[in-house]
């Protein structure tokens, strides 16, 4: 006689994540998740469908991998952390996902009975150590889009559905659900959650787009500024078509967090909006949350058009756009509508700005070439040489670069010159997530080489051992290139900027910045059988990177620690 297995809240969770279309559940283990593990084991035994479960040994790795995966997949995944302490440990990465606009459903737990109710004993750890006043959903509220508690096993699947739907809608980001252990252990009647469908698109109307097209047509010196147009599905391609149709240069400021426009394109105008602040007569902010710094730095005569699905970011404390016009709705669609209206342009006006942009572009190319020639002749290994060498080796490889440098971030962007959609991402929200985000990107794009560029200070913040464990366990080979200048340079620069004639400048006692005492950074990968190199001469750089890329192509993570001169 066959007995129908008892279903509980763990089954409800697995069923809901499956219905939500989650490919993966990223879990940093906690004692509350035994019901989920049992549900997964049963489904695996019985051949029933379920999201792939990844067993990870650090909360930052779990959330960071979900972030990297979501940057490419653009769909909500599941993340399971442990109680309030696990949520706190992973909170920086959850906040990074919020800033990066990555949808995910994060869950952790608490006890509501503390062992004083009949039935399953949750364990004394909840009474003594794990509980917080107000529940973990109170902790999660400031760094998630939506945060609440699942109060019943009967509403649990639909709560997960709702969390996924909210996470996916603009502005995309993490939603949090507190699922008490008692709810996970409670009998479930098997009512399935409905599948989560992609968000419906909202569009700017022709009545809204036509006046903006008129503004663009009448503008003599327009400029596009974008931070995250490439994050939207089809946004990269739509921005290229729009800029080309109207012959408008594109600025990607230092606040850009992904590749939005080919850096090799003649219309790419670098990262400084400064030259346009007094000369532009129209500034088009395309997915640009913080274009001007300081925020009060207002363009002297330009009209400002904001093209953004959610221009006023609810998680940004202080935001100044100086908008004269908003085009709200799907960004790629809005850009396509404007592209179709690129007609009746004044040929002379277009030719003047085309010539000006050609001059700017040629000057930038000359400056890049000069900087790279100087770096090639310099003593030691200049960071420009590292980025330029990487660019040459990655040419034609369809690689993805994840960047977690600070001092060298401008060098990486300027000299790697990525030119394809989803080819560059900058880690958001705080240092220490880069390896995990790169692993998640690799999980979503296994066929593409993934390179992490990272500073030695950022490397020290990362949970290195758990990250390498995930790389090894799930066969996710990366090339990790460390720009190692043996100092927290950005901190040192701030000290010098604030106190140029202070006591530290007089005595040479620069506190909080020295990293010379760290051991060989590549050596941490050796116990995992990974490829490691330490480079301190320019002659050794290219051969080392070639060997590392060969190792990655053969399925092994490679770490190249480059001792740069600045």
């Amino acid at each position: 006689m066959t007995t129908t297995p008892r279903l509980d809240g763990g089954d409800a969770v697995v069923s809901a994540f499956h219905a939500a279309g989650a490919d993966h559940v990223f879990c940093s283990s906690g004692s509350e998740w035994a019901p989920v593990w049992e549900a997964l084991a049963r489904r695996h035994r019985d051949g029933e469908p379920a999201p792939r479960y990844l067993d990870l040994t650090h909360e930052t790795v779990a959330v960071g991998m979900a972030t990297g995966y979501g940057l490419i997949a653009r769909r909500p995944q599941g993340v399971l952390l442990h109680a309030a302490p696990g949520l706190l440990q992973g909170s920086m990465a959850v906040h990074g996902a919020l800033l990066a606009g990555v949808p995910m459903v994060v869950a952790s737990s608490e006890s509501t009975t503390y062992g004083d109710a009949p039935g399953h004993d949750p364990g004394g750890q909840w009474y003594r150590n794990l509980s917080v006043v107000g529940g973990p959903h109170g902790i999660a509220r400031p760094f998630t889009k939506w945060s609440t508690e699942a109060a019943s096993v009967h509403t649990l699947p639909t709560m997960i559905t709702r969390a996924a739907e909210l996470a996916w809608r603009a502005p995309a980001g993490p939603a949090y659900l507190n699922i008490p252990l008692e709810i996970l252990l409670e009998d479930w009647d098997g009512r399935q959650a409905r599948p989560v469908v992609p968000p419906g698109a909202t569009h700017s109307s022709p009545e809204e787009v036509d006046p903006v097209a008129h503004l663009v047509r009448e503008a003599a010196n327009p400029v596009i500024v974008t931070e995250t147009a490439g994050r939207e599905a089809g946004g990269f391609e739509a921005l290229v078509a729009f800029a080309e149709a109207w012959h408008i240069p594109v600025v990607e400021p230092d606040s850009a967090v992904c590749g939005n426009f080919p850096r090799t394109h003649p219309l790419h105008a670098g990262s400084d909006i400064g030259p346009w602040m007094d000369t532009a007569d129209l500034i088009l902010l395309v997915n640009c949350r913080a274009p001007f710094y300081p925020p009060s730095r207002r363009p002297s005569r330009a009209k400002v058009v904001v093209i953004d699905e959610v221009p006023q970011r609810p998680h940004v404390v202080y935001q100044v756009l100086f908008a004269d016009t908003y085009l709200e709705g799907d960004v790629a669609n809005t850009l396509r509508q404007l592209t179709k209206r690129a007609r009746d342009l004044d040929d002379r006006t277009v030719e003047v700005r085309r010539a000006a942009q050609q001059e700017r572009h040629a000057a930038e190319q000359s400056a890049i070439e000069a900087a790279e020639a100087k770096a090639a002749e310099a003593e030691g290994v200049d960071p420009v040489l590292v980025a330029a060498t990487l660019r040459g080796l990655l040419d034609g490889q369809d690689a993805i670069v994840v960047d977690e440098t600070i001092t060298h971030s401008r060098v990486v962007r300027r000299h790697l010159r990525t030119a394809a959609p989803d080819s560059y991402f900058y880690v958001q929200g705080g240092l220490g997530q880069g390896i995990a985000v790169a692993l998640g990107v690799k999980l979503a794009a296994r066929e593409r080489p993934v390179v992490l560029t990272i500073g030695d200070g950022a490397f020290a913040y990362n949970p290195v051992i758990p990250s390498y464990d995930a790389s090894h366990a799930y066969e996710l080979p990366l090339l990790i290139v460390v720009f190692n200048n043996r100092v927290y340079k950005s901190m040192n620069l701030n000290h010098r900027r604030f106190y140029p004639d202070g006591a530290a400048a007089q005595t040479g006692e620069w506190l909080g910045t020295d990293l010379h005492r760290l051991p060989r950074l590549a050596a941490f990968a050796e116990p995992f059988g990974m490829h490691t190199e330490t480079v301190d001469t320019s002659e050794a750089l290219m051969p080392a990177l070639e060997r590392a890329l060969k190792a990655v192509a053969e399925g092994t993570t490679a770490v190249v620690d480059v001792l740069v001169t600045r």
Side-chain angles (χ1 to χ4, degrees), residues 104-129:
M104 63 180 67
V105 178
V106 181
S108 70
S109 193
E110 65 176 331
S111 173
T112 54
T113 64
Y114 307 105
D116 271 346
H120 296 286
D121 179 6
Q125 71 273 22
W126 297 95
Y127 180 53
R128 292 188 293 265
N129 298 321

Side-chain angles (χ1 to χ4, degrees), residues 320-403:
V320 181
L321 298 175
F322 296 122
D324 294 290
T325 303
Y326 288 104
L327 285 182
E328 300 184 40
D330 182 86
V331 169
N333 179 275
T334 301
L335 294 175
R336 292 188 199 107
Q337 289 194 62
L338 287 168
T339 300
K340 292 176 182 177
R341 289 161 170 77
R343 54 184 178 269
D344 302 327
L345 278 66
D346 183 86
D347 293 339
R348 178 173 173 75
T349 300
V350 169
E351 186 52 42
V352 168
R353 72 170 175 253
R354 180 188 287 118
Q357 176 55 25
Q358 287 174 343
E359 184 177 343
R360 280 189 295 265
H361 185 71
E364 173 65 3
Q365 299 318 297
S366 297
I368 288 173
E369 291 169 7
E372 292 178 0
K374 181 180 178 181
E377 298 298 323
E379 185 175 344
V381 187
D382 191 278
V384 168
L385 181 64
V386 182
T389 303
L390 268 175
R391 183 186 73 237
L393 292 173
L394 295 176
D395 185 42
Q397 301 299 310
D398 193 26
I400 303 173
V401 176
V402 177
D403 186 25

Side-chain angles (χ1 to χ4, degrees), residues 510-524:
W510 301 106
L511 300 176
T513 62
D514 183 28
L515 295 177
H516 281 87
R517 65 182 182 269
L518 292 180
R520 286 191 310 121
L521 300 184
F524 292 97

